[in-house]
Amino acid sequence: MMCGGLTELQNGNDEIQKICNIVKSQAQQKTGKTYDVFIAKSYRSQPVAGTNFFIKVHVGGDDYVHIHVLQSLPHVGAGLELADIQESKRHDDAIEYF
């Protein structure tokens, strides 16, 4: 991985699912939708002043969203913030920087 670049695609795991669980309400507020299903399927990350996570999330049926979450450095104390969300994604859509 190049410094500052995105990592290779990785499968969702418990850590990434925890991030999704924390920002789920922010995603629902931003889209005006309620998600009964919100499961991390895959992700890429980017080390910056903290870490950017770009996560593909299954939200039911054939529907997915891509979320961009910023995890601040521990000394900043800001925690996790949903920076952006892309709706109307599919299983095969690549996760890119946004």
Side-chain angles (χ1 to χ4, degrees), residues 1-7 43-54 68-71 97-98:
M1 177 188 68
M2 186 171 86
C3 185
L6 291 177
T7 61
Y43 74 100
R44 297 174 75 184
S45 60
Q46 176 192 36
V48 290
T51 304
N52 281 318
F53 291 97
F54 299 90
H68 173 187
V69 178
L70 176 59
Q71 182 177 40
Y97 183 95
F98 64 96

Side-chain angles (χ1 to χ4, degrees), residues 1 5-20 39-47 51-58 64-69 71 91 93-98:
M1 177 188 68
L6 291 177
T7 61
E8 293 296 319
L9 187 67
Q10 300 175 59
N11 290 328
N13 56 41
D14 289 344
E15 176 188 352
I16 299 302
Q17 184 60 51
K18 285 179 189 176
I19 291 170
C20 288
I39 300 171
K41 290 300 193 178
S42 56
Y43 74 100
R44 297 174 75 184
S45 60
Q46 176 192 36
T51 304
N52 281 318
F53 291 97
F54 299 90
I55 308 169
K56 180 183 303 238
V57 181
H58 181 231
Y64 292 79
V65 295
H66 290 180
I67 61 174
H68 173 187
V69 178
Q71 182 177 40
H91 174 73
D93 290 339
I95 300 173
E96 302 293 340
Y97 183 95
F98 64 96

